[in-house]
Amino acid sequence: MPTRRRHVPVLLLAALLAPAAAARAQSPTGGAEAAPQPEVASASAGPVSVSTRAGALLRRTLRFRGAIPSSDAGRVVTIDRLDELTTTWTPVAHATASADGTYVATWTADRVGPLQLRARVEAPDAAAASSAPQLHVTVYPAARATWYGPGFYGRKTACGTRLRKDTLGVAHRKLPCGTPVTVFYKGRTVTVPVIDRGPFAHGARWDLTAATAQAIGFQATDTVGALQAQPG
């Protein structure tokens, strides 16, 4: 009699493979493409709106665009930054609303880290500040970076990770292995762990794995922003 082959039902096979696929997707060092964070931060409170880039490099210019009621044309819109230590708001930029109520304010980022900002319409009543829209922006220190991968696949990194084509991570000279780092490049960000030591050439401070570079569109030695990720 001919030998009968045993077939695993498609649905059963999918169920068996799903946990492994999920584990790869949750792994910080491989198996899934990193999801870039939003490029734009925006907020509104009633008729007042404000938007800007969600990330920027230190000492680079951020432009805040928004609108207030056209009836308030000619009023000054102030961009304030929250000082978390003193819980006070500090003005960092000003703009005068045009005839249609739109405005553009610019600020040269002078502080690193996650920042809370608001757009406040200068008015005699105190309600203008309490109803100001607030948004969050992250400012990154700039540093030179390179990327690596081909020629090293299959080898173990200094942190013990087996490097693969889809391994997400960065190399740094001093940060402890596993430290989460958010890398910012041309408006795109991705958070990955430190998995290796280096770089040691070209004056670079960070070395991105090929998968990390691909996730943010990084193709050659260039300047990136990098910041140790905040917990939670």
Side-chain angles (χ1 to χ4, degrees):
M1 297 179 63
T3 302
R4 296 178 62 185
R5 295 181 180 179
R6 299 177 62 187
H7 296 277
V8 179
V10 174
L11 292 179
L12 176 58
L13 182 60
L16 293 172
L17 294 178
R24 287 196 300 271
Q26 295 173 1
S27 171
T29 56
E33 181 178 349
Q37 298 173 0
E39 297 183 16
V40 177
S42 60
S44 61
V48 180
S49 64
V50 60
S51 66
T52 188
R53 297 197 308 266
L57 295 178
L58 185 65
R59 291 185 286 276
R60 301 289 176 86
T61 299
L62 272 172
R63 286 180 172 79
F64 296 84
R65 303 177 185 274
I68 65 175
S70 58
S71 58
D72 288 332
R75 287 193 182 277
V76 173
V77 179
T78 297
I79 304 299
D80 296 324
R81 185 194 70 229
L82 178 65
D83 187 323
E84 294 187 352
L85 293 178
T86 62
T87 64
T88 58
W89 292 92
T90 302
V92 296
H94 305 275
T96 300
S98 61
D100 63 355
T102 59
Y103 67 88
V104 178
T106 60
W107 172 55
T108 301
D110 60 2
R111 181 170 297 193
V112 167
L115 306 177
Q116 186 172 348
L117 301 111
R118 71 181 183 184
R120 173 174 51 87
V121 181
E122 298 285 358
D125 58 322
S130 62
S131 61
Q134 300 180 15
L135 45 72
H136 293 82
V137 172
T138 302
V139 177
Y140 301 85
R144 193 171 179 82
T146 52
W147 71 275
Y148 74 111
F152 294 93
Y153 296 144
R155 301 183 186 181
K156 279 192 174 183
T157 68
C159 295
T161 298
R162 185 77 64 180
L163 190 66
R164 305 193 307 265
K165 186 177 180 180
D166 59 357
T167 300
L168 296 168
V170 293
H172 190 268
R173 298 173 195 171
K174 296 181 179 180
L175 284 178
C177 295
T179 301
V181 174
T182 300
V183 183
F184 170 85
Y185 184 67
K186 294 185 177 180
R188 304 186 73 187
T189 56
V190 65
T191 300
V192 296
V194 172
I195 64 166
D196 207 351
R197 289 286 167 252
F200 302 106
H202 309 296
R205 191 175 303 173
W206 300 92
D207 208 359
L208 319 181
T209 65
T212 301
Q214 183 179 16
I216 56 175
F218 184 88
Q219 298 180 344
T221 300
D222 203 351
T223 297
V224 302
L227 195 64
Q228 187 171 336
Q230 299 295 310

